Amino acid sequence: MSRQIITFRIGEQYLGVDIMAIREIRAWSPTTRLPHVPEYVHGVVNLRGSVLPVFDLSARLGWGVTDPTARHVIIVVQLGNQLQGLIVDAVNDIVTLTDGALQPPPNVGDDEAAIFLEGLASVDDRMVMVLSLSRLTDGTDDLEQIAA
């Protein structure tokens, strides 16, 4: 059975998430910082009257903090009952992955390297890292209470 992912870019890296988790793609808008949150929590924005936590995906993946500009976008994803935003550089395409196209991350001697990945797929001669959204947001239960 095939599945669709939406691909996007952070720096020179290509990533993807399951299209069924995506609720919308928004233009960048400044966030309101919150006190005492991890570095990867960029802040919150107003999403039609609701508080939307926004994560700096680059910082969460250990690639450095993003200094967002008008060219960045926020991908709004649904995790359970919670909507969360992910800052990315650019959205690329919708891709259909066939059975067997998603390969497990290679063992490089450090489980930390692959903790946020569901797998890797080759798309148009590029490697796309498919993220596990549930692992990406583990440990953010406090933010769920803010947005409730």
Side-chain angles (χ1 to χ4, degrees):
M1 183 167 153
S2 63
R3 69 185 260 208
Q4 291 186 312
I5 62 169
I6 191 161
T7 61
F8 53 90
R9 199 172 40 76
I10 296 177
E12 299 300 315
Q13 304 300 319
Y14 289 88
L15 299 103
V17 295
D18 192 302
I19 199 165
M20 297 306 291
I22 295 177
R23 293 299 165 252
E24 66 182 273
I25 298 170
R26 299 174 45 100
W28 170 252
S29 58
T31 62
T32 300
R33 299 281 304 170
L34 298 173
H36 304 289
V37 294
E39 180 180 43
Y40 63 85
V41 178
H42 201 275
V44 294
V45 296
N46 180 353
L47 180 66
R48 292 181 294 284
S50 296
V51 176
L52 177 72
V54 177
F55 295 95
D56 180 344
L57 191 51
S58 177
R60 182 66 168 139
L61 296 173
W63 296 339
V65 176
T66 301
D67 185 15
T69 66
R71 301 190 90 162
H72 286 83
V73 295
I74 299 173
I75 298 176
V76 179
V77 296
Q78 175 123 24
L79 292 167
N81 295 328
Q82 169 83 31
L83 289 178
Q84 297 179 353
L86 305 173
I87 301 171
V88 302
D89 291 355
V91 173
N92 289 18
D93 213 350
I94 297 171
V95 175
T96 300
L97 297 180
T98 58
D99 288 344
L102 191 64
Q103 302 295 315
N107 182 356
V108 291
D110 185 2
D111 288 338
E112 295 278 327
I115 194 166
F116 300 126
L117 299 181
E118 188 178 324
L120 298 158
S122 180
V123 176
D124 297 333
D125 298 326
R126 290 190 297 258
M127 290 304 290
V128 174
M129 294 174 266
V130 179
L131 296 174
S132 168
L133 291 174
S134 62
R135 288 186 227 143
L136 192 65
T137 58
D138 279 351
T140 58
D141 295 335
D142 293 341
L143 288 176
E144 288 180 17
Q145 291 180 7
I146 290 168

